Amino acid sequence: MRDVERIREEKKAWEQKNIRGAAERIEPKHTASGIPAPLLATPADAGADYLEDVGFPGEFPFTRGVYPTMHVGRHWTMRQYAGFGSAEESNRRFKFLLEQGQTGLSVAFDLPTQCGYDSDNADVEAEVGRLGVTIDTIRDMELLFDGIPLDRISTSFTINATAAVILAMYAAVAERQNVSADRLRGTLQNDILKEYIARGAYIFPPEPSMRLVTDVIEYCAEHAPRFNPISICGYHMRDAGCSAVNELAFTLGDALEYVDRVIERGISVDRFAPRLSFMFATHSDFFEEVAKYRAARRLWARIMTGKYGAGDPKSAMLRFHTQTAGSSVTQEQPLNNIARITVQALAAVLGGAQSLHACSYDEAYTIPTEETARISLRTQQIIAHESGVANTVDPLGGSYYVEHLTDRIEQEAREKLEKIAARGGMVRLIERGEIQREIMMEAYEYEKSIQSGDRVIVGRNKYKLEKDLREISLHELNPAHVEKAKERLKKVREERDRDAVERALAALGEAARGTDNLMPFILDAVRTCATVGEITDTLKGVFGEFRDEIAL
């Protein structure tokens, strides 16, 4: 304590001697979230008790990482997000990325699949295969993973409203490869609350949607213990415009809603919490992003042990995937995005990410080409093999500035969580539109700061060019894709056992009216080649559809 006071006094004397005049000319600096940045950070700014607040990697409170050796022992999973058009096209892209050294798969689905429509539905024809792969039945899922052994690859699925259906199809394809569910590794996004908040790909009202999420978590705890049944996702809220602090608070707020629902079923926290996972966005305020992840681990560990009494250390480990910020890439001077993505990817690695997707520089325009996807993967590989970041665990730990930001972000996120709890929790606030409005206002203020020039975006509002220096190759959807998808679906409908499909769908509808876990019934349906649309329509008949009438 005496040392801290002495440092403060010495710092004050240093300021008086060296920067008194200059300080008046220097504008106060803040992080992207508005946290004041000290001109010079010292141990007096960090303020952490090392053993209680920082500790050692792999041990509570996990500030320095969830595993003892972190990236020194093994590099993070390089998991480039991919998927477009047909299952065959996406399968080729997966194999290309694996050949280039990618270490995990991440599947992008088209909007009809995400929202529970089949590709022969006229209302969604324009979106079939456009922004992700088209999956109608288990036959498509088999083609998507043709030649890819599911017991030897970890697969992430960016899917939410229809997550239970996609997981069932994946498990059923694994069965056909003679791979049991308990050998599957990967992650299902399955975070419906952030869809209501920021993304909009929901189908059912909140309560039945929460039931489906909970069904999946319960099913995986019983049958697929190596699979992450949910990735509680701050990424889309951040890309919609919220700050790093609110991204953390809202993500953990959603997580607490899911934990409460599972515990209400009589399932102990240590039975399912070790497989909870998270996803965040990484933006360009380098030190704030690093500190955000350190604060996230510490805050989650304290909540899980303090509020829920978790006894298994794995229940208190916040494991996360991160993606560089899609909202940060610019159409102006697109090659500049390579530098942005590199800074963001480095922040994610130094923040202790378990897996990472680095955006491609052309994503402001188009689905990445093979060339731009390879550059993004090479960016991760250069960081891993050439930068030295994997030579020691948590190399930024002990930085006075990083520890100062870690403390501030944890404090502000905790205070936000307390306010959320006092106002009824995330589900109630989402239903009232309060979270959505707060993010909207943050996005408005952020954009206003760019328009005014207070926030510099290189190439967009400063250092602009009359003409960009590089032509962008645009991804073109195969114009024959929609008709081929329809033909394949028609053929499946003709060849399958129609009576078996009807029986499976009827059983699913009956179960939905009760309280049984719906995963076994969905599995039975996909095995008969019931479609995503048919399963969704069956559940709509019981649950209804959600119509967002909140006036933002």
Side-chain angles (χ1 to χ4, degrees), residues 517-536:
N517 189 307
L518 296 181
M519 275 301 298
F521 298 92
I522 295 172
L523 262 165
D524 286 344
V526 302
R527 289 180 184 121
T528 69
C529 289
T531 70
V532 169
E534 290 166 343
I535 293 170
T536 301

Side-chain angles (χ1 to χ4, degrees), residues 175-480:
E175 289 173 352
R176 296 183 181 188
Q177 290 189 7
N178 293 317
V179 175
S180 58
D182 62 0
R183 293 164 64 194
L184 294 177
R185 293 178 299 117
T187 301
L188 195 68
Q189 194 162 102
N190 194 30
D191 177 6
I192 200 63
L193 291 180
K194 69 96 171 52
E195 296 294 332
Y196 298 117
I197 294 170
R199 193 162 171 270
Y202 46 71
I203 301 172
F204 314 113
E207 286 304 324
S209 293
M210 290 292 284
R211 173 187 173 183
L212 283 167
V213 170
T214 310
D215 283 350
V216 168
I217 295 172
E218 182 180 33
Y219 171 83
C220 286
E222 181 69 26
H223 300 283
R226 302 174 70 193
F227 198 88
N228 301 322
I230 188 168
S231 177
I232 303 120
C233 190
Y235 178 89
H236 302 90
M237 294 184 278
R238 186 69 182 282
D239 253 13
C242 77
S243 66
V245 170
N246 274 350
E247 177 193 10
L248 175 53
F250 294 157
T251 304
L252 296 193
D254 284 350
L256 299 183
E257 294 280 359
Y258 296 128
V259 170
D260 288 342
R261 296 301 177 104
V262 181
I263 289 174
E264 285 172 6
R265 291 199 178 180
I267 302 171
S268 68
V269 68
D270 287 329
R271 189 173 161 215
F272 70 90
R275 297 316 305 179
L276 300 179
S277 64
F278 293 80
M279 178 183 176
F280 296 100
T282 303
H283 280 242
S284 297
D285 192 325
F286 182 84
F287 293 104
E288 180 173 68
E289 294 301 313
V290 172
K292 177 184 75 179
Y293 297 128
R294 301 173 90 251
R297 283 192 292 270
R298 190 161 74 199
L299 182 53
W300 182 248
R302 287 172 168 168
I303 289 171
M304 293 305 287
T305 56
K307 179 177 180 179
Y308 295 105
D312 186 342
K314 292 181 180 178
S315 297
M317 292 179 181
L318 185 145
R319 299 169 302 112
F320 70 95
H321 170 76
T322 187
Q323 179 170 323
T324 62
S327 63
S328 73
V329 297
T330 62
Q331 291 185 332
E332 299 87 354
Q333 300 178 44
L335 287 177
N336 291 348
N337 293 326
I338 296 176
R340 289 190 181 96
I341 291 159
T342 303
V343 168
Q344 293 169 8
L346 186 59
V349 170
L350 289 171
Q354 276 59 69
S355 63
L356 170 63
H357 163 83
C359 290
S360 297
Y361 74 78
D362 56 352
E363 284 193 41
Y365 287 91
T366 185
I367 289 173
T369 63
E370 282 194 359
E371 178 194 26
T372 62
R374 181 170 51 241
I375 290 170
S376 295
L377 180 58
R378 293 288 183 260
T379 298
Q380 293 203 52
Q381 292 164 336
I382 288 168
I383 290 172
H385 297 286
E386 299 183 28
S387 71
V389 297
N391 291 344
T392 188
V393 178
D394 187 29
L396 289 182
S399 157
Y400 304 134
Y401 183 44
V402 169
E403 299 298 354
H404 168 72
L405 284 178
T406 301
D407 293 345
R408 282 294 302 267
I409 292 172
E410 182 191 10
Q411 176 190 341
E412 293 192 16
R414 181 184 292 279
E415 290 172 356
K416 189 77 175 187
L417 282 168
E418 289 170 355
K419 291 178 181 176
I420 289 168
R423 289 155 59 197
M426 286 295 288
V427 171
R428 300 289 84 81
L429 293 179
I430 292 167
E431 289 174 338
R432 297 198 294 264
E434 294 184 33
I435 301 297
Q436 297 93 310
R437 279 188 283 270
E438 186 165 350
I439 293 175
M440 179 183 254
M441 288 308 300
E442 284 191 291
Y444 170 72
E445 292 297 331
Y446 184 88
E447 182 61 28
K448 195 165 70 169
S449 70
I450 295 173
Q451 296 295 330
S452 69
D454 292 340
R455 187 186 305 271
V456 173
I457 305 296
V458 172
R460 181 178 170 192
N461 64 357
K462 196 168 186 177
Y463 311 115
K464 297 190 287 188
L465 296 175
E466 290 298 318
K467 183 180 179 183
D468 287 338
L469 301 179
R470 182 179 174 90
E471 296 273 335
I472 293 291
S473 298
L474 298 180
H475 169 85
E476 295 290 341
L477 178 66
N478 183 343

